Amino acid sequence: IPVAALYLIGGILFCLSVVGFPCGLQLLKLARLALFPFGSAIATHERNNGSTAGSVNVDCFCHNIGNILFLPLSIILLVVHLIAALICACTI
């Protein structure tokens, strides 16, 4: 639940800006996936240049801005995921 809440908060914050809107939509999808993982499928889409990536095709400048904006949230998510992994490892 904490992971889903963080994805939800991050998704809402990113959806407030025009640059972060595509990333925010993906974060909202991850929040739903964190709450309801069973019966869900994760798929990649091919871009025009043949590389597999997300469904959003943005230019390099906007992509770099998105990475910089996502950095603080990603560090928090990293710590929460590591804590959850340690709790799961201790219970196994």
Side-chain angles (χ1 to χ4, degrees):
I1 293 179
V3 173
L6 285 173
Y7 280 128
L8 181 67
I9 292 168
I12 291 171
L13 289 176
F14 271 88
C15 283
L16 294 177
S17 70
V18 174
V19 175
F21 192 77
C23 186
L25 290 178
Q26 300 306 317
L27 286 172
L28 292 175
K29 289 179 185 178
L30 285 173
R32 188 180 68 191
L33 181 67
L35 286 176
F36 307 108
F38 302 108
S40 300
I42 298 175
T44 58
H45 301 281
E46 285 197 27
R47 290 187 180 181
N48 292 335
N49 60 3
S51 66
T52 58
S55 61
V56 178
N57 189 5
V58 295
D59 62 350
C60 194
F61 180 71
C62 289
H63 184 69
N64 290 335
I65 289 176
N67 285 339
I68 292 169
L69 293 175
F70 188 68
L71 185 64
L73 179 64
S74 64
I75 291 172
I76 295 169
L77 286 168
L78 170 77
V79 171
V80 171
H81 278 84
L82 286 176
I83 291 171
L86 288 173
I87 292 171
C88 287
C90 289
T91 59
I92 291 178

